[in-house]
């Protein structure tokens, strides 16, 4: 049986192979954990940050990235009121009903409309972006290992490629992107938007804000979920205690 | 089977009342918990947020000629929007209420200042058919409103039932005039 | 005619029903006064926990199905709609999603309990084998359920797992095409997986009835592994074990709730939040954690048919476990050597799980092969021989008198249904 000779091989492998096998994986430094308002079991979204982040999304990201699962009405979740949402939705043109000749029409957007996508379809999106498809951002925060920390890291991880690194045509160096070559040019440089609340729009601030907004888009239920979770867990802990007390009583005369 | 039950020792009896209260509280808590679990499941069958968000429809009234009507869809139901002629308005207003199956003055069924527009939910109050009469070629019945082909109910130009078997007038959707030529239903 | 059942329930309505259909008598007999060994520890909670998990999965699944659309163009979006727009949809979906993990945790511990205390031994072989059928049904259900959200892992998991059948000589490719209903995992595949994912849980309920029926014929095993000898050894199931199971259920729900509300995606894979794309395989395709040990076994064998056979074999070997283990003693408490080795098996399976989570390169290949070898070695070699070599500790006389009399025989001599006549 081959199995019997394998323990020895294991030891050999542990000494020898482990090094090289692991080395090629980590070209990206470990993610730095940022402080997020929605962290932890009691976390909630910082609405001001999410609203600023929405501004960054609107003025920068949405030029290339769709957010197909989001409706304008969802923005109530970051504290915008109905009139603000109507104005935001109304500023885009969306496909309307067919006219009497059967020709397509356009109408101003409504809160019940999905976020307007920058491109008609994936093929158009690729064509406009050098063959790379900008991923949909609706659940991006849940679709990447590291979540918010990863998005923040990529947004702030651009720099010139280190000397000797061969970059492919049209690619950009990013410390945190797997493989270090990313098709997306650096999207944020600082001062890309002018915040209405007067917050200075540094690169870190913008990245932090837009990441908060993306986290909200991916987890719109988070605030309510945390709130309900605390109640449910406390209730179940209480019930567990009670049930255990009953169990002790019933079993008292058995042991 | 019963003889396999271990006989509780004597001291057990004195503690019985306290155990019962504890048990009662525990069972009651568990029941509350079970009830709380049921609610999300039940509520998930109520209209969802995307359905509710679509519950308002805007209608442009300019293309509707006097004497004709259009049908629009609101919450999956047909809404009749009819532009009444002065004669139709007059006949609706002049009917003595005691002649009606469900007495209701015309003024309660239209918006003040916009009496030429009658807007009703196009579902017969008998068994849910869609009455005829909104297209110019449709039969409108004896009272010039709508005629239900299923069981012959007839409605007047105010959407009030004038001939059975329908028991009630055509229902009114919630709506408001945004401008003189635009309404928002819902 | 046999006539009416004789019932004497004080409530006239219950009595009326029971004389015609003695369900209350049955419940009373099987869950009320049912004589149950008095020495269960909390490991005996896990059967009840599995039933609770199954019920919660079925109920949440029914409500999810009301809003899910099994179509490749709409499946992903319909799940997102459940998460965003359906009232409490996120709660129902996260309960269901994490429920799969909770169900497997409970069932794996339940299986470990069976292994540790020898619950598979005569006369409970059939009970155990029905349990293995339940495990297989559960795995099939979980696998097909994971395909439904139609994310990247759904798609590629389905592709990899269905491709396993292509290893069957001659008819393999035909079987795979038949499973797919096409030439790749596509809309017909998604439709049939949805249909079967809805069906199989009810099959599980049916087989579960057989599992429980068989249990109530043989009676439960217990931590001492000796048979019940007198009424002093037992307690009525209610209230003693109903309340003890309730404690377990509360703790179980507490852990489940903590996952759902605070870490709902902790056990999932991020790639399943990217819609399925038949043109791009994710960096590494890994199954959900509960399949990782089996996935590791699959990848440990360099030959395709060999790997697939070993993977299925790793579960099928459990069917013959009652005959592989030759020891006459059930409980590990009285098997000094096996008590150590079973932990080696546990570590082995955990290691296999770790291997399954890593790309098959370097050290992981080696560890995977060692662990796979040990897994089969344990069942096929260690168990048959150990039963003959090991000297069990003396068994107690009875459950109610766990004191071991000096010079007492090692066997529970009075245990009636014990065909293993070995010394």
């Amino acid at each position: 049986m081959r199995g019997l000779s394998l323990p020895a091989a294991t030891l050999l492998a542990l000494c020898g192979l482990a090094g090289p096998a692991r080395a090629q994986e980590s070209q990206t430094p470990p993610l730095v954990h940022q402080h997020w308002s929605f962290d932890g079991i009691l976390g909630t979204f910082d609405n001001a940050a999410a609203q600023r982040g929405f501004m960054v999304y609107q003025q920068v990201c949405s030029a290339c990235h769709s957010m197909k699962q989001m409706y304008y009405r969802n923005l109530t979740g970051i504290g915008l009121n109905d009139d603000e949402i109507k104005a935001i939705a109304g500023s885009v043109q969306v496909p309307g009903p067919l006219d009497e000749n059967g020709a397509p029409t356009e109408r101003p957007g409504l809160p019940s409309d999905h976020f307007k996508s920058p491109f008609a379809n994936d093929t158009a999106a690729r064509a406009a972006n050098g063959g790379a498809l900008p991923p949909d951002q609706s659940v991006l925060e849940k679709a990447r290992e590291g979540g918010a920390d990863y998005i923040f890291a990529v947004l702030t991880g651009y720099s010139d490629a280190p000397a000797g690194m061969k970059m492919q045509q049209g690619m950009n160096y990013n410390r945190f992107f797997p493989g270090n070559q990313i098709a997306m040019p650096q999207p944020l440089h600082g001062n890309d938007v002018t915040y209405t609340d007067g917050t200075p729009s540094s690169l870190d601030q913008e990245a932090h804000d837009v990441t908060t907004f993306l986290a909200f888009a991916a987890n719109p239920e988070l605030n309510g979920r945390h709130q309900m979770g605390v109640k449910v867990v406390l209730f179940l802990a209480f019930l567990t205690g009670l049930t255990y007390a009953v169990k002790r009583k019933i079993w008292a005369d058995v042991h | 089977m019963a003889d396999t039950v271990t006989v509780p020792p004597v001291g057990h009896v004195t503690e019985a009342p306290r155990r019962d209260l504890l048990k009662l509280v525990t069972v009651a808590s568990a029941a509350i918990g079970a009830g709380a679990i049921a609610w999300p499941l039940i509520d998930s069958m109520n209209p969802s947020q995307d359905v509710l968000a679509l519950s308002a429809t805007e209608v442009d009234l300019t293309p509707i000629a006097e004497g004709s009507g259009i049908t629009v869809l609101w919450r999956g139901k047909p809404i009749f929007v009819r532009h009444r002629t002065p004669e139709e308005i007059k006949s609706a207003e002049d009917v003595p209420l005691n002649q009606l199956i469900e007495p209701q003055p015309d003024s309660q069924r239209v918006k003040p200042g916009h009496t030429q527009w009658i807007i009703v939910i196009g579902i017969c109050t008998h068994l849910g058919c869609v009455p005829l009469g909104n297209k110019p070629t449709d039969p409108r019945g004896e009272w010039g409103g709508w005629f239900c082909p299923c069981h012959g109910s007839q409605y007047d130009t105010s959407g009030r039932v004038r001939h059975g078997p329908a028991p009630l007038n055509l229902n009114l959707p919630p709506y408001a005039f945004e401008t003189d030529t635009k309404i928002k239903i819902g | 005619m046999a006539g009416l059942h004789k019932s004497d329930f004080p409530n006239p309505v219950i009595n009326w029903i029971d004389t015609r259909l003695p369900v209350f008598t049955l419940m009373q007999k099987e869950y009320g006064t049912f004589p149950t060994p008095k020495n269960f520890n909390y490991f005996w909670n896990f059967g009840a926990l599995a039933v609770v998990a199954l019920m919660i999965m079925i109920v949440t699944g029914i409500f999810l199905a009301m809003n899910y659309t099994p179509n490749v163009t709409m499946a992903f979006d319909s799940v997102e709609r459940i998460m965003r727009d359906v009232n409490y949809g996120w709660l129902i979906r996260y309960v269901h999603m994490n429920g799969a993990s909770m169900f497997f945790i409970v069932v794996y511990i339940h299986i470990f309990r069976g292994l540790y205390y020898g619950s598979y031994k005569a006369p409970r072989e059939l009970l155990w084998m029905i349990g293995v059928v339940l495990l297989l049904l559960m795995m099939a259900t979980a696998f097909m359920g994971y395909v439904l959200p139609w994310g990247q892992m759904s798609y590629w998991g389905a592709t990899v797992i269905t491709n396993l059948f292509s290893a069957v000589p001659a008819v393999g490719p035909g079987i795979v095409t038949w499973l797919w209903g096409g030439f790749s995992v596509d809309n017909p595949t998604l439709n049939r997986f949805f249909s079967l994912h809805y069906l199989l849980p009810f099959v599980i309920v049916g087989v579960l009835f057989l599992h429980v029926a068989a249990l109530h014929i043989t009676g439960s095993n217990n931590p001492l592994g000796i048979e019940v000898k007198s009424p002093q050894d037992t307690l009525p199931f209610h209230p003693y074990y109903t309340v003890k199971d309730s404690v377990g259920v509360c703790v179980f729900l507490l852990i489940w709730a903590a996952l759902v509300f605070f870490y709902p995606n902790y056990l999932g894979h991020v790639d399943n939040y990217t819609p399925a794309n038949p043109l791009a395989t994710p960096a590494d395709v890994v199954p959900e954690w509960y399949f990782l040990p089996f996935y590791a076994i699959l990848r440990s064998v360099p030959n395709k048919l060999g790997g697939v056979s070993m993977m299925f074999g790793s579960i099928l070997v459990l069917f013959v476990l009652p005959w592989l283990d030759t020891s006459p003693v059930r409980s590990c408490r009285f098997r000094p050597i096996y008590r150590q080795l079973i932990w080696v098996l546990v570590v082995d399976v955990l290691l296999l799980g770790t291997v399954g989570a890593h790309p098959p390169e370097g050290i992981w290949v080696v560890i995977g092969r060692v662990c796979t070898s040990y897994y089969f070695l344990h069942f096929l070699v260690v168990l048959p021989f150990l039963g003959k070599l090991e000297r069990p500790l003396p068994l107690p006389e009875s459950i109610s008198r766990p004191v071991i009399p000096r010079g007492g025989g090692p066997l529970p001599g009075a245990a009636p249904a014990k065909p293993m006549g070995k010394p």
Side-chain angles (χ1 to χ4, degrees):
Chain A
M1 285 209 59
R2 191 178 44 186
L4 293 177
S5 67
L6 283 176
T10 313
L11 283 176
L12 279 177
L14 275 169
C15 309
L17 292 175
R22 306 265 59 183
Q24 56 178 188
E25 276 182 23
S26 51
Q27 288 175 330
T28 55
L31 296 175
V32 184
H33 181 67
Q34 309 293 320
H35 173 75
W36 302 108
S37 57
F38 47 90
D39 273 343
I41 61 171
L42 293 171
T44 53
F45 289 114
D46 172 356
N47 277 356
Q51 287 180 21
R52 289 194 300 269
F54 173 65
M55 234 173 130
V56 177
Y57 167 76
Q58 255 200 324
Q59 296 181 23
V60 182
C61 318
S62 70
C64 301
H65 289 274
S66 59
M67 222 169 190
K68 291 176 185 159
Q69 310 290 350
M70 284 287 283
Y71 294 95
Y72 291 107
R73 62 181 161 81
N74 293 146
L75 294 172
T76 47
I78 56 170
L80 296 184
N81 64 38
D82 288 350
D83 291 334
E84 289 168 319
I85 293 172
K86 265 188 193 152
I88 292 165
S91 67
V92 300
Q93 291 288 314
V94 300
L98 300 179
D99 67 12
E100 56 270 32
N101 301 317
T105 61
E106 287 207 321
R107 61 168 174 81
L110 292 169
S112 58
D113 285 316
H114 278 111
F115 277 22
K116 193 183 183 183
S117 297
F119 302 104
N121 49 57
D122 285 359
T123 314
R126 275 182 199 282
N129 288 283
L133 178 68
D136 185 85
Q137 291 186 326
S138 317
V139 285
L140 194 73
E141 195 267 341
K142 287 199 283 194
R144 294 292 181 274
E145 204 71 64
D149 289 334
Y150 170 80
I151 294 175
F152 179 86
V154 166
L155 287 174
T156 54
Y158 284 87
S159 64
D160 290 331
M165 179 159 176
K166 210 170 167 288
M167 298 296 291
Q168 284 179 314
Q169 182 68 36
M171 299 298 262
N172 307 279
Y173 180 79
N174 189 306
R175 265 181 304 150
F176 291 97
F177 192 74
N180 298 129
Q181 304 204 29
I182 184 168
M184 172 170 72
Q186 182 169 355
L188 299 175
H189 303 81
N191 299 316
D192 303 276
V193 295
T194 310
Y195 285 138
T196 45
D197 63 0
T199 308
S201 49
S202 64
L203 170 59
D204 274 18
Q205 184 69 44
E206 288 176 349
H208 193 276
D209 291 344
V210 80
T211 305
T212 303
F213 175 68
L214 291 181
F216 161 75
N219 308 279
E221 84 295 343
L222 180 138
N223 288 356
R225 169 156 59 79
H226 283 178
Q227 215 174 27
M228 191 191 293
V230 171
K231 287 181 202 152
V232 170
V233 164
L234 285 178
F235 172 78
L236 282 173
F238 170 71
L239 190 62
T240 306
L242 272 183
T243 313
Y244 187 66
V246 173
K247 189 255 166 192
R248 285 286 295 268
K249 280 275 176 199
I250 289 179
W251 280 76
D253 39 283
V254 173
H255 291 295
Chain B
M1 290 300 159
D3 57 4
T4 62
V5 182
T6 43
V7 180
V10 185
H12 165 83
V13 179
T14 53
E15 288 190 44
R18 207 180 131 203
R19 181 216 274 183
D20 284 346
L21 178 66
L22 187 65
K23 249 165 130 176
L24 197 72
V25 173
T26 311
V27 171
S29 305
I32 292 168
I37 289 170
W39 172 245
L41 297 171
I42 294 166
D43 194 33
S44 78
M45 292 172 71
N46 276 322
S48 57
Q49 299 308 308
D50 54 332
V51 172
L52 292 175
L54 285 179
S55 55
T57 305
E58 286 187 349
V59 183
D60 182 14
L61 302 176
T62 33
I64 308 172
E66 208 175 73
S68 70
I70 61 163
T71 307
V72 295
L73 203 64
W74 174 71
R75 289 187 172 177
K77 291 187 269 201
I79 304 296
F80 294 155
V81 182
R82 186 120 137 219
H83 193 169
R84 300 190 291 187
T85 61
E87 303 82 67
E88 285 173 335
I89 298 168
K90 193 168 173 356
S91 73
E93 285 172 346
D94 290 351
V95 182
L97 291 186
N98 57 15
Q99 284 187 15
L100 299 173
I101 294 173
E102 188 200 0
Q104 197 179 21
D106 186 59
S107 55
Q108 280 183 19
R109 299 182 54 84
V110 294
K111 301 284 179 199
H114 301 283
T115 52
Q116 71 273 41
W117 298 105
I118 175 74
I119 292 149
V120 293
I121 298 177
I123 291 180
C124 182
T125 55
H126 178 218
L127 290 172
C129 295
V130 178
L132 299 172
N134 231 28
K135 273 190 276 181
T137 51
D138 280 351
R140 286 183 166 178
E142 208 178 312
W143 286 271
W146 289 272
F147 168 77
C148 184
C150 289
H151 304 96
S153 298
Q154 298 190 36
Y155 300 89
D156 65 13
T157 54
S158 189
R160 291 170 298 198
V161 63
R162 301 299 288 273
H163 182 271
L168 298 171
N169 301 335
L170 289 177
N171 284 312
L172 305 175
Y175 70 96
F177 278 85
E178 299 216 309
T179 67
D180 277 350
T181 58
K182 198 180 197 184
I183 55 164
K184 186 181 175 192
I185 307 173
Chain C
M1 291 303 285
L4 294 179
H5 178 77
K6 239 174 87 69
S7 297
D8 46 6
F9 284 91
N11 183 317
V13 177
I14 289 180
N15 206 54
W16 187 88
I17 296 172
D18 200 66
T19 50
R20 286 152 182 82
L21 182 70
V23 281
F24 294 101
T25 301
L26 185 83
M27 282 305 289
Q28 180 72 6
K29 181 164 167 271
E30 302 298 338
Y31 285 101
T33 56
F34 190 73
T36 313
K38 64 193 283 186
N39 60 333
F40 280 0
N41 55 33
Y42 274 101
F43 272 120
W44 264 262
N45 267 348
F46 285 85
L49 298 187
V51 174
V52 169
L54 176 63
M55 292 308 143
I56 294 178
M57 291 305 275
I58 288 180
V59 170
T60 51
I62 287 170
F63 283 89
L64 286 175
M66 292 179 188
N67 286 294
Y68 171 75
T69 311
N71 179 293
V72 293
T73 57
M74 293 182 268
F76 187 89
D77 289 349
S78 76
V79 172
E80 275 305 313
R81 183 181 157 268
I82 290 171
M83 295 292 294
R84 290 157 185 275
D85 284 338
V86 174
N87 303 321
Y88 295 104
W90 59 267
L91 177 59
I92 301 172
R93 195 239 171 173
Y94 276 155
V95 167
H96 197 77
M97 189 173 122
N98 286 288
S101 289
M102 296 306 293
F103 201 174
F104 271 101
I105 290 173
V106 159
V107 163
Y108 284 156
I109 296 176
H110 189 61
I111 293 171
F112 170 76
R113 196 279 318 272
L115 289 173
Y116 191 88
Y117 295 109
S119 303
Y120 48 85
K121 293 188 189 184
R124 300 186 182 83
E125 307 96 320
L126 192 59
L127 170 62
W128 169 264
M129 290 162 80
I130 295 171
V132 180
V133 172
L134 283 171
L135 174 65
L136 285 172
L137 285 170
M138 239 181 100
M139 289 175 143
T141 310
F143 160 66
M144 287 190 269
Y146 192 63
V147 176
L148 303 184
W150 208 242
Q152 273 289 67
M153 276 301 164
S154 300
Y155 181 87
W156 291 101
T159 300
V160 168
I161 300 300
T162 48
N163 262 317
L164 292 180
F165 293 90
S166 69
V168 180
V171 293
I175 292 178
V176 175
T177 308
W178 174 76
L179 281 175
W180 288 341
F183 301 100
S184 63
V185 173
D186 209 334
N187 204 46
T189 327
L190 180 61
N191 274 295
R192 62 189 62 181
F193 279 17
F194 178 53
S195 169
L196 293 173
H197 182 69
Y198 206 119
L199 169 72
L200 283 185
F202 297 98
V203 177
I204 291 178
V205 171
V207 180
L208 174 64
F209 264 96
L210 299 180
H211 194 63
V212 172
L215 172 71
H216 282 219
I217 294 294
T218 62
S220 294
N221 187 27
N222 63 78
L224 292 173
I226 58 176
E227 289 295 331
V228 167
K229 294 207 184 84
S230 69
Q232 271 73 49
D233 291 349
T234 67
L235 292 170
F237 191 83
H238 179 77
Y240 292 97
Y241 286 110
T242 41
V243 74
K244 193 162 180 175
D245 283 346
S246 300
V247 174
V249 168
C250 287
V251 175
F252 177 54
L253 294 180
L254 191 61
I255 297 169
W256 193 340
L259 263 183
V260 163
F261 288 106
F262 304 130
Y263 305 99
N265 294 300
Y266 180 74
L267 294 168
H269 197 289
V270 289
D271 279 341
N272 230 25
Y273 281 109
T274 302
N277 177 1
L279 300 177
T281 310
D284 40 2
V285 179
V286 284
E288 291 289 87
W289 68 266
Y290 39 82
F291 289 140
L292 288 174
F294 306 101
Y295 192 56
I297 292 175
L298 169 78
R299 294 194 306 190
S300 293
V301 186
N303 172 288
K304 187 171 172 182
L305 179 59
V308 174
S309 313
M310 295 280 260
M311 189 183 79
F312 285 110
S314 66
I315 295 170
L316 296 181
V317 72
L318 296 176
F319 275 111
V320 287
L321 176 62
W323 296 276
L324 290 173
D325 186 348
T326 53
S327 171
V329 175
R330 291 198 188 107
S331 174
C332 267
R333 282 197 193 170
F334 306 105
R335 299 188 61 186
I337 303 175
Y338 187 57
R339 190 167 58 197
Q340 317 288 327
L341 289 178
I342 192 158
W343 289 109
V344 177
L345 181 72
V346 170
V347 171
D348 184 74
V349 171
L350 292 178
L351 263 177
L352 277 172
T354 319
V355 170
H358 287 86
E361 53 192 26
I363 184 71
W364 297 112
V365 178
V366 182
I367 300 178
R369 288 185 182 163
V370 174
C371 291
T372 302
S373 307
Y374 181 76
Y375 182 90
F376 286 98
L377 207 66
H378 180 93
F379 287 108
L380 297 175
V381 180
V382 171
L383 276 177
F385 285 104
L386 191 64
K388 300 207 165 70
L389 302 174
E390 188 180 41
R391 236 188 128 82
L393 303 176
L395 292 176
E397 202 173 84
S398 75
I399 294 171
S400 53
R401 302 229 335 259
V403 194
I404 301 151
R406 281 277 150 215
L411 274 176
K418 232 174 171 232
M420 296 181 189
K422 299 195 179 74

